[in-house]
Amino acid sequence: MTVATVRRSDEGSRDDDRRGSPRSGRRLAARMHRPGMWFALPAATLLALFFAYPLAVSLLQSLFRTSGGVSTFVGFDQYTRMLRDPLVLKSLGNALLILVVQVPIMIALAVGLAYLLNQAWLRFRAGFRLLTFLPSITTLVAYSVVFRVIMTTDGGMLNQLLALFGAGPIDWLNNEWWARVAVIASITWRWTGYNMVIILAGLQSIPPELYEAARIDGAGRWQTFRHIVVPQLRPVLIFTSVTSTIGALQLFDENFILTGGGPNNATLTPVLYLYKVGFQQFDFGYASAIAWMLVILTGIIALIQFRIMREKP
């Protein structure tokens, strides 16, 4: 190749760059994305090390059974074993009960509080919002211990309060029914304020013109709430419902500290049972299978919620 040919080629490339040819556009895009790739590399590395790799290892581990330090490939036997395990079914039933009872109550309370704290006539709104949100920033262990002290049968604060009204002491943590009530009450106290803040942000994003139009049409407070507020909050309600559902299926700290899963496994949850299988019985293969079952179940329930609550076309 002669010098003149090389020169013409370089000039042609420069002409292509000036004309914005597809080849020059690809080169420009590559140059622009290269710094972003370097910035994203640390985050991608951490994600691979602490998320993708453990997921892959746990999935592989669920296909093996370890006995006497020797791992044996058993395929999907660990998953079929769950179908015959009464404690798995019991823990799923407990989680479903909490999901059906606690999540709607909590979302309803959060919507009501957010709607109230969004009213212009309410004084000290910032203070009330702070007080409502404070429980959600307390640590899980700390507030669970406090609730355990409050609900102690002998000398607990709650039973002392009931005694002032002539009611007898309730065995909150050792009775199957009341243990479930104690867990549901503690979770509701902890997470209502968190969901309230999210819903409050959704309320404040509703255009004021919609309220004005409803007022002109003669709509009352309930009609405005039903036909303006709730439809506008649909995406926010979907988000809070899905995250609350995931939280209900992943309950561990409250049940572990308050009741230990008892009495008679009445408050045993899948994650608590997973912990007992993995770290008390050292059956990590079966514990991994339970974890993957929980992941799949959570995804299915979240998908169903999206389908039910999605906006109508």
Side-chain angles (χ1 to χ4, degrees), residues 98 101-102 105-106 109 143 147 151 158 172 178-192 254 258:
I98 295 173
V101 175
Q102 188 268 336
I105 292 175
M106 180 178 63
L109 287 174
Y143 100 88
F147 264 83
M151 294 182 174
L158 189 53
W172 293 99
W178 290 113
R180 295 189 181 104
V181 172
V183 171
I184 290 175
S186 64
I187 300 168
T188 304
W189 179 86
R190 173 65 160 75
W191 292 108
T192 298
E254 295 88 345
L258 282 174

mmCIF file of all heavy atoms in Angstrom, residues 98 101-102 105-106 109 143 147 151 158 172 178-192 254 258:
data_model
loop_
_atom_site.group_PDB
_atom_site.id
_atom_site.type_symbol
_atom_site.label_atom_id
_atom_site.label_comp_id
_atom_site.label_asym_id
_atom_site.label_seq_id
_atom_site.Cartn_x
_atom_site.Cartn_y
_atom_site.Cartn_z
ATOM 1 N N ILE A 98 -50.247 -14.750 58.108
ATOM 2 C CA ILE A 98 -49.731 -13.398 58.346
ATOM 3 C C ILE A 98 -49.923 -12.525 57.107
ATOM 4 O O ILE A 98 -50.293 -11.348 57.212
ATOM 5 C CB ILE A 98 -48.251 -13.465 58.747
ATOM 6 C CG1 ILE A 98 -48.097 -14.182 60.101
ATOM 7 C CG2 ILE A 98 -47.626 -12.077 58.811
ATOM 8 C CD1 ILE A 98 -46.660 -14.438 60.505
ATOM 9 N N VAL A 101 -53.764 -11.641 56.767
ATOM 10 C CA VAL A 101 -54.323 -10.829 57.848
ATOM 11 C C VAL A 101 -53.538 -9.537 58.044
ATOM 12 O O VAL A 101 -54.105 -8.437 58.069
ATOM 13 C CB VAL A 101 -54.368 -11.641 59.169
ATOM 14 C CG1 VAL A 101 -54.832 -10.746 60.315
ATOM 15 C CG2 VAL A 101 -55.271 -12.847 59.016
ATOM 16 N N GLN A 102 -52.219 -9.655 58.179
ATOM 17 C CA GLN A 102 -51.425 -8.500 58.586
ATOM 18 C C GLN A 102 -51.213 -7.488 57.466
ATOM 19 O O GLN A 102 -51.307 -6.269 57.690
ATOM 20 C CB GLN A 102 -50.070 -8.976 59.129
ATOM 21 C CG GLN A 102 -49.226 -7.890 59.759
ATOM 22 C CD GLN A 102 -48.263 -7.241 58.778
ATOM 23 O OE1 GLN A 102 -47.888 -7.847 57.769
ATOM 24 N NE2 GLN A 102 -47.869 -6.025 59.062
ATOM 25 N N ILE A 105 -54.259 -5.155 56.795
ATOM 26 C CA ILE A 105 -54.435 -4.241 57.926
ATOM 27 C C ILE A 105 -53.379 -3.148 57.909
ATOM 28 O O ILE A 105 -53.680 -1.955 58.089
ATOM 29 C CB ILE A 105 -54.390 -5.024 59.253
ATOM 30 C CG1 ILE A 105 -55.608 -5.940 59.377
ATOM 31 C CG2 ILE A 105 -54.331 -4.073 60.440
ATOM 32 C CD1 ILE A 105 -55.576 -6.831 60.604
ATOM 33 N N MET A 106 -52.137 -3.533 57.668
ATOM 34 C CA MET A 106 -51.041 -2.563 57.666
ATOM 35 C C MET A 106 -51.185 -1.564 56.524
ATOM 36 O O MET A 106 -51.001 -0.345 56.719
ATOM 37 C CB MET A 106 -49.697 -3.281 57.563
ATOM 38 C CG MET A 106 -48.495 -2.367 57.543
ATOM 39 S SD MET A 106 -46.949 -3.283 57.477
ATOM 40 C CE MET A 106 -47.132 -4.112 55.892
ATOM 41 N N LEU A 109 -54.023 0.862 57.370
ATOM 42 C CA LEU A 109 -53.584 1.849 58.359
ATOM 43 C C LEU A 109 -52.636 2.871 57.739
ATOM 44 O O LEU A 109 -52.725 4.075 58.036
ATOM 45 C CB LEU A 109 -52.898 1.133 59.525
ATOM 46 C CG LEU A 109 -53.790 0.357 60.489
ATOM 47 C CD1 LEU A 109 -52.933 -0.401 61.500
ATOM 48 C CD2 LEU A 109 -54.749 1.299 61.211
ATOM 49 N N TYR A 143 -36.478 -3.874 68.813
ATOM 50 C CA TYR A 143 -37.919 -3.729 69.028
ATOM 51 C C TYR A 143 -38.578 -5.075 69.338
ATOM 52 O O TYR A 143 -39.573 -5.127 70.074
ATOM 53 C CB TYR A 143 -38.569 -3.046 67.820
ATOM 54 C CG TYR A 143 -39.252 -3.930 66.835
ATOM 55 C CD1 TYR A 143 -40.589 -4.275 66.995
ATOM 56 C CD2 TYR A 143 -38.581 -4.411 65.716
ATOM 57 C CE1 TYR A 143 -41.238 -5.067 66.076
ATOM 58 C CE2 TYR A 143 -39.214 -5.202 64.787
ATOM 59 C CZ TYR A 143 -40.556 -5.533 64.976
ATOM 60 O OH TYR A 143 -41.190 -6.337 64.058
ATOM 61 N N PHE A 147 -40.896 -5.746 72.616
ATOM 62 C CA PHE A 147 -42.224 -6.346 72.572
ATOM 63 C C PHE A 147 -42.289 -7.610 73.422
ATOM 64 O O PHE A 147 -43.325 -7.906 74.024
ATOM 65 C CB PHE A 147 -42.605 -6.661 71.117
ATOM 66 C CG PHE A 147 -43.430 -5.594 70.468
ATOM 67 C CD1 PHE A 147 -42.823 -4.475 69.913
ATOM 68 C CD2 PHE A 147 -44.805 -5.682 70.426
ATOM 69 C CE1 PHE A 147 -43.575 -3.478 69.323
ATOM 70 C CE2 PHE A 147 -45.578 -4.702 69.837
ATOM 71 C CZ PHE A 147 -44.953 -3.577 69.286
ATOM 72 N N MET A 151 -44.965 -7.986 76.459
ATOM 73 C CA MET A 151 -45.985 -9.040 76.401
ATOM 74 C C MET A 151 -45.684 -10.215 77.315
ATOM 75 O O MET A 151 -46.294 -11.282 77.173
ATOM 76 C CB MET A 151 -46.126 -9.523 74.955
ATOM 77 C CG MET A 151 -46.686 -8.477 74.026
ATOM 78 S SD MET A 151 -46.911 -9.080 72.349
ATOM 79 C CE MET A 151 -47.746 -7.687 71.609
ATOM 80 N N LEU A 158 -48.268 -4.834 79.130
ATOM 81 C CA LEU A 158 -49.581 -4.955 78.502
ATOM 82 C C LEU A 158 -50.585 -5.604 79.439
ATOM 83 O O LEU A 158 -51.739 -5.153 79.534
ATOM 84 C CB LEU A 158 -49.458 -5.752 77.202
ATOM 85 C CG LEU A 158 -50.695 -5.793 76.304
ATOM 86 C CD1 LEU A 158 -51.195 -4.391 76.000
ATOM 87 C CD2 LEU A 158 -50.391 -6.544 75.018
ATOM 88 N N TRP A 172 -49.581 -14.156 76.228
ATOM 89 C CA TRP A 172 -49.379 -13.709 74.859
ATOM 90 C C TRP A 172 -48.440 -14.605 74.063
ATOM 91 O O TRP A 172 -48.689 -14.878 72.883
ATOM 92 C CB TRP A 172 -48.819 -12.281 74.848
ATOM 93 C CG TRP A 172 -49.756 -11.243 75.356
ATOM 94 C CD1 TRP A 172 -49.773 -10.689 76.596
ATOM 95 C CD2 TRP A 172 -50.831 -10.647 74.636
ATOM 96 N NE1 TRP A 172 -50.787 -9.766 76.703
ATOM 97 C CE2 TRP A 172 -51.451 -9.713 75.498
ATOM 98 C CE3 TRP A 172 -51.331 -10.785 73.341
ATOM 99 C CZ2 TRP A 172 -52.542 -8.937 75.118
ATOM 100 C CZ3 TRP A 172 -52.414 -10.014 72.948
ATOM 101 C CH2 TRP A 172 -53.007 -9.113 73.830
ATOM 102 N N TRP A 178 -52.785 -16.297 70.682
ATOM 103 C CA TRP A 178 -52.268 -15.000 71.093
ATOM 104 C C TRP A 178 -50.822 -14.795 70.639
ATOM 105 O O TRP A 178 -50.386 -13.649 70.454
ATOM 106 C CB TRP A 178 -52.377 -14.841 72.608
ATOM 107 C CG TRP A 178 -53.794 -14.689 73.068
ATOM 108 C CD1 TRP A 178 -54.513 -15.577 73.828
ATOM 109 C CD2 TRP A 178 -54.684 -13.606 72.777
ATOM 110 N NE1 TRP A 178 -55.780 -15.117 74.035
ATOM 111 C CE2 TRP A 178 -55.921 -13.902 73.401
ATOM 112 C CE3 TRP A 178 -54.563 -12.421 72.062
ATOM 113 C CZ2 TRP A 178 -57.011 -13.053 73.328
ATOM 114 C CZ3 TRP A 178 -55.656 -11.570 71.977
ATOM 115 C CH2 TRP A 178 -56.864 -11.885 72.604
ATOM 116 N N ALA A 179 -50.076 -15.858 70.442
ATOM 117 C CA ALA A 179 -48.717 -15.710 69.908
ATOM 118 C C ALA A 179 -48.763 -15.161 68.487
ATOM 119 O O ALA A 179 -47.950 -14.295 68.111
ATOM 120 C CB ALA A 179 -47.982 -17.045 69.951
ATOM 121 N N ARG A 180 -49.712 -15.653 67.698
ATOM 122 C CA ARG A 180 -49.867 -15.107 66.345
ATOM 123 C C ARG A 180 -50.276 -13.634 66.400
ATOM 124 O O ARG A 180 -49.792 -12.810 65.614
ATOM 125 C CB ARG A 180 -50.906 -15.919 65.571
ATOM 126 C CG ARG A 180 -50.499 -17.363 65.297
ATOM 127 C CD ARG A 180 -51.473 -18.019 64.337
ATOM 128 N NE ARG A 180 -51.143 -19.401 64.072
ATOM 129 C CZ ARG A 180 -51.778 -20.436 64.595
ATOM 130 N NH1 ARG A 180 -52.785 -20.233 65.453
ATOM 131 N NH2 ARG A 180 -51.425 -21.676 64.295
ATOM 132 N N VAL A 181 -51.173 -13.299 67.324
ATOM 133 C CA VAL A 181 -51.590 -11.900 67.473
ATOM 134 C C VAL A 181 -50.404 -11.028 67.859
ATOM 135 O O VAL A 181 -50.239 -9.904 67.347
ATOM 136 C CB VAL A 181 -52.715 -11.795 68.526
ATOM 137 C CG1 VAL A 181 -53.032 -10.326 68.830
ATOM 138 C CG2 VAL A 181 -53.966 -12.518 68.049
ATOM 139 N N ALA A 182 -49.552 -11.531 68.751
ATOM 140 C CA ALA A 182 -48.385 -10.758 69.191
ATOM 141 C C ALA A 182 -47.431 -10.493 68.029
ATOM 142 O O ALA A 182 -46.922 -9.373 67.865
ATOM 143 C CB ALA A 182 -47.659 -11.507 70.310
ATOM 144 N N VAL A 183 -47.189 -11.510 67.205
ATOM 145 C CA VAL A 183 -46.296 -11.337 66.055
ATOM 146 C C VAL A 183 -46.886 -10.347 65.060
ATOM 147 O O VAL A 183 -46.198 -9.435 64.571
ATOM 148 C CB VAL A 183 -46.026 -12.698 65.388
ATOM 149 C CG1 VAL A 183 -45.284 -12.502 64.066
ATOM 150 C CG2 VAL A 183 -45.212 -13.595 66.311
ATOM 151 N N ILE A 184 -48.175 -10.493 64.763
ATOM 152 C CA ILE A 184 -48.829 -9.592 63.802
ATOM 153 C C ILE A 184 -48.825 -8.158 64.325
ATOM 154 O O ILE A 184 -48.574 -7.210 63.575
ATOM 155 C CB ILE A 184 -50.265 -10.080 63.510
ATOM 156 C CG1 ILE A 184 -50.215 -11.378 62.692
ATOM 157 C CG2 ILE A 184 -51.059 -9.019 62.780
ATOM 158 C CD1 ILE A 184 -51.564 -12.012 62.463
ATOM 159 N N ALA A 185 -49.087 -7.979 65.630
ATOM 160 C CA ALA A 185 -49.099 -6.630 66.210
ATOM 161 C C ALA A 185 -47.716 -5.993 66.137
ATOM 162 O O ALA A 185 -47.584 -4.796 65.803
ATOM 163 C CB ALA A 185 -49.584 -6.698 67.657
ATOM 164 N N SER A 186 -46.683 -6.757 66.428
ATOM 165 C CA SER A 186 -45.329 -6.194 66.400
ATOM 166 C C SER A 186 -44.917 -5.815 64.985
ATOM 167 O O SER A 186 -44.319 -4.751 64.765
ATOM 168 C CB SER A 186 -44.338 -7.201 66.992
ATOM 169 O OG SER A 186 -44.264 -8.384 66.200
ATOM 170 N N ILE A 187 -45.235 -6.652 64.012
ATOM 171 C CA ILE A 187 -44.879 -6.342 62.622
ATOM 172 C C ILE A 187 -45.630 -5.100 62.147
ATOM 173 O O ILE A 187 -45.059 -4.231 61.469
ATOM 174 C CB ILE A 187 -45.181 -7.538 61.708
ATOM 175 C CG1 ILE A 187 -44.397 -8.762 62.145
ATOM 176 C CG2 ILE A 187 -44.866 -7.205 60.262
ATOM 177 C CD1 ILE A 187 -44.854 -10.035 61.488
ATOM 178 N N THR A 188 -46.913 -5.019 62.494
ATOM 179 C CA THR A 188 -47.715 -3.862 62.086
ATOM 180 C C THR A 188 -47.163 -2.576 62.679
ATOM 181 O O THR A 188 -47.067 -1.548 61.995
ATOM 182 C CB THR A 188 -49.174 -4.068 62.517
ATOM 183 O OG1 THR A 188 -49.672 -5.297 61.966
ATOM 184 C CG2 THR A 188 -50.047 -2.927 62.023
ATOM 185 N N TRP A 189 -46.781 -2.615 63.952
ATOM 186 C CA TRP A 189 -46.192 -1.434 64.593
ATOM 187 C C TRP A 189 -44.897 -1.020 63.901
ATOM 188 O O TRP A 189 -44.642 0.170 63.716
ATOM 189 C CB TRP A 189 -45.928 -1.741 66.063
ATOM 190 C CG TRP A 189 -45.300 -0.605 66.814
ATOM 191 C CD1 TRP A 189 -45.932 0.433 67.419
ATOM 192 C CD2 TRP A 189 -43.889 -0.400 67.024
ATOM 193 N NE1 TRP A 189 -45.018 1.279 67.996
ATOM 194 C CE2 TRP A 189 -43.758 0.802 67.771
ATOM 195 C CE3 TRP A 189 -42.737 -1.098 66.663
ATOM 196 C CZ2 TRP A 189 -42.519 1.299 68.166
ATOM 197 C CZ3 TRP A 189 -41.502 -0.590 67.045
ATOM 198 C CH2 TRP A 189 -41.394 0.586 67.791
ATOM 199 N N ARG A 190 -44.109 -1.989 63.506
ATOM 200 C CA ARG A 190 -42.788 -1.699 62.928
ATOM 201 C C ARG A 190 -42.876 -1.103 61.531
ATOM 202 O O ARG A 190 -42.139 -0.181 61.185
ATOM 203 C CB ARG A 190 -41.968 -2.989 62.915
ATOM 204 C CG ARG A 190 -40.623 -2.926 62.185
ATOM 205 C CD ARG A 190 -39.649 -1.979 62.871
ATOM 206 N NE ARG A 190 -38.274 -2.215 62.518
ATOM 207 C CZ ARG A 190 -37.696 -1.887 61.359
ATOM 208 N NH1 ARG A 190 -38.392 -1.318 60.410
ATOM 209 N NH2 ARG A 190 -36.414 -2.137 61.162
ATOM 210 N N TRP A 191 -43.781 -1.613 60.685
ATOM 211 C CA TRP A 191 -43.719 -1.294 59.266
ATOM 212 C C TRP A 191 -44.818 -0.370 58.762
ATOM 213 O O TRP A 191 -44.786 0.042 57.600
ATOM 214 C CB TRP A 191 -43.753 -2.593 58.448
ATOM 215 C CG TRP A 191 -42.531 -3.410 58.622
ATOM 216 C CD1 TRP A 191 -42.400 -4.583 59.311
ATOM 217 C CD2 TRP A 191 -41.222 -3.116 58.116
ATOM 218 N NE1 TRP A 191 -41.107 -5.039 59.269
ATOM 219 C CE2 TRP A 191 -40.352 -4.152 58.538
ATOM 220 C CE3 TRP A 191 -40.696 -2.076 57.358
ATOM 221 C CZ2 TRP A 191 -38.998 -4.173 58.209
ATOM 222 C CZ3 TRP A 191 -39.344 -2.090 57.037
ATOM 223 C CH2 TRP A 191 -38.523 -3.136 57.467
ATOM 224 N N THR A 192 -45.814 -0.040 59.578
ATOM 225 C CA THR A 192 -46.880 0.847 59.113
ATOM 226 C C THR A 192 -46.335 2.218 58.742
ATOM 227 O O THR A 192 -46.695 2.796 57.705
ATOM 228 C CB THR A 192 -47.971 0.978 60.186
ATOM 229 O OG1 THR A 192 -48.564 -0.303 60.422
ATOM 230 C CG2 THR A 192 -49.064 1.950 59.724
ATOM 231 N N GLU A 254 -38.594 -11.323 64.294
ATOM 232 C CA GLU A 254 -39.686 -11.203 65.252
ATOM 233 C C GLU A 254 -40.087 -12.560 65.807
ATOM 234 O O GLU A 254 -40.235 -12.740 67.028
ATOM 235 C CB GLU A 254 -40.886 -10.523 64.590
ATOM 236 C CG GLU A 254 -40.623 -9.081 64.181
ATOM 237 C CD GLU A 254 -40.037 -8.962 62.784
ATOM 238 O OE1 GLU A 254 -39.582 -9.997 62.251
ATOM 239 O OE2 GLU A 254 -40.016 -7.838 62.237
ATOM 240 N N LEU A 258 -39.455 -13.358 69.683
ATOM 241 C CA LEU A 258 -40.680 -13.335 70.480
ATOM 242 C C LEU A 258 -41.093 -14.722 70.939
ATOM 243 O O LEU A 258 -41.393 -14.936 72.126
ATOM 244 C CB LEU A 258 -41.819 -12.705 69.676
ATOM 245 C CG LEU A 258 -41.827 -11.177 69.554
ATOM 246 C CD1 LEU A 258 -42.932 -10.729 68.609
ATOM 247 C CD2 LEU A 258 -42.016 -10.540 70.919
#
